[in-house]
Amino acid sequence: MIQLTVTPKTSLADQPVKIHVSGLAPGLLVTLQSSLTDERGITFQARALYRADEAGQVDFEKAAALGGDYAGVWPMGLFWFLKPEKLFQRLIKKDVMGSPFQVRIDLFDSFLLMPQVQTEPVASCTVERWYVTPGTQRIPIKEGRVRGTLFLPPGPGPFPGVIDMFGGAGGLIEFRASLLASRGFAVLAVAFFAYDDLPLVLKEVDLEYFEEATNLLLKHPKVRGPGIGVIGVSQGGMVVLSMATFLEQVVAAVWINGASCMYGPSLRYRDIYIPAVPYIPERLIITEMGALDNYHVFGDPRDPAHAASAIPVEKAKGEVLFVVGEADRNFNSKLFAELAIERMKKHGKKNYTLLSYPGAGHLIEPPGSPLCSISVIRGNPKPVHWGGEPEAHAKAQEHSWEEIIKFLKLHLGSSGTGNL
């Protein structure tokens, strides 16, 4: 009897599962397919071809996919290599509390590159991929000027506090914050433009807004001080570096593919003003896929004319973790990280760590998120090219996520909250 098992059937989206097939004829070529439909109704799928071993089994921990959406030994390949049926779509969980992603795994006992609706699988199962542990609280925040969502782990606390933010798309994105809360952190997902009554466009980073968010988080009775961590990608990374530089409450900062100087928006904090390096829009490249490659639109941060735009990160008292995708096509993130580290070294500082991943693109996210190399974002006339090679990017996401968790726990402490 043919059996397809996936264990556990219920798990957090950043946790691995084990896939095993038994009862096949030895040497049989089979197709395995995963599929999920997001909250917008967009379907994501991945498929791979395997050959049963002498015992009639396919063990994803050992078996190498022969082809399909990936090849080689990838125990989580059916999750990490999901692709949207509609081009240029990014998989983002919006309702992190109310429902999981339901991922269906189908087994076909033949070579099927594109299974048809009428093609019946010989075995199927559905697994749930959640973004919160049971008992996690989600609290909308609209206090003073601060807009966002606070996630609290189950239990009495107090918990180490983290502020989480994303980048140039604006709005409020919660899936990383909820996963971090499931690891035992009290996490405030912060919006800073294009959300609620916040400005529609980010023209200037008002660091006092983020200072207000920091103080709001620290005064919560379930948050353990005296310091917090911050994590951000892209423009959010630029804000993270600014917070680490100027706010003494920030003791651990995770910068993911950001900038080390002000690009686009300028920065203002009390009597401090940092001007922005100007964009050079005529350097935009439209790729063969019709996406915008922004890699060359930023002025050279090494130009002496832009010296005043550098973030003086040498002033940071806390630890900074730089996470770089070397195939990033949105920023020259590797250069920005190197310039920041060089600046810190010149001032005798050693409070930095660099994780640099060849082949990884701009959107380095928790490992439950498949590579998104191109996607549409709010405010852009064409999709944006983020870069990344699928296999290298998948490895980078798996490794960097665990390193980020370890970094935050090391410098903030751990509450010991368990997972699903």
Side-chain angles (χ1 to χ4, degrees), residues 66 79 105 123 167 192 204 300:
L66 305 174
F79 296 83
I105 311 293
F192 52 101
E204 184 174 86
D300 190 341

Side-chain angles (χ1 to χ4, degrees), residues 192-246:
F192 52 101
F193 73 103
Y195 178 78
D196 198 64
D197 56 355
L198 296 173
L200 187 61
V201 178
L202 184 65
K203 295 181 179 179
E204 184 174 86
V205 173
D206 177 4
L207 206 61
E208 290 187 41
Y209 173 84
F210 298 94
E211 185 175 44
E212 186 179 339
T214 299
N215 292 333
L216 186 154
L217 181 61
L218 279 170
K219 76 177 185 182
H220 195 283
K222 284 196 173 185
V223 174
R224 183 174 69 227
I228 67 160
V230 290
I231 179 171
V233 63
S234 196
Q235 275 194 337
M238 186 172 67
V239 174
V240 158
L241 204 61
S242 302
M243 293 177 71
T245 298
F246 295 112

Side-chain angles (χ1 to χ4, degrees), residues 245-263:
T245 298
F246 295 112
L247 304 184
E248 63 180 14
Q249 305 98 316
V250 175
V251 299
V254 181
W255 174 103
I256 305 172
N257 286 332
S260 54
C261 58
M262 298 307 297
Y263 269 114

Side-chain angles (χ1 to χ4, degrees), residues 36-44 85-86 89 94 101:
L36 70 81
T37 302
D38 71 8
E39 290 115 325
R40 301 166 296 173
I42 295 171
T43 299
F44 290 73
E85 286 191 336
K86 183 181 178 183
Q89 303 301 311
K94 294 180 184 281
F101 276 139

Side-chain angles (χ1 to χ4, degrees), residues 151-178:
F151 290 92
L152 294 174
F159 307 103
V162 175
I163 287 178
D164 179 40
M165 67 196 83
F166 281 77
L172 181 63
I173 299 175
E174 299 181 351
F175 71 89
R176 188 171 59 203
S178 62

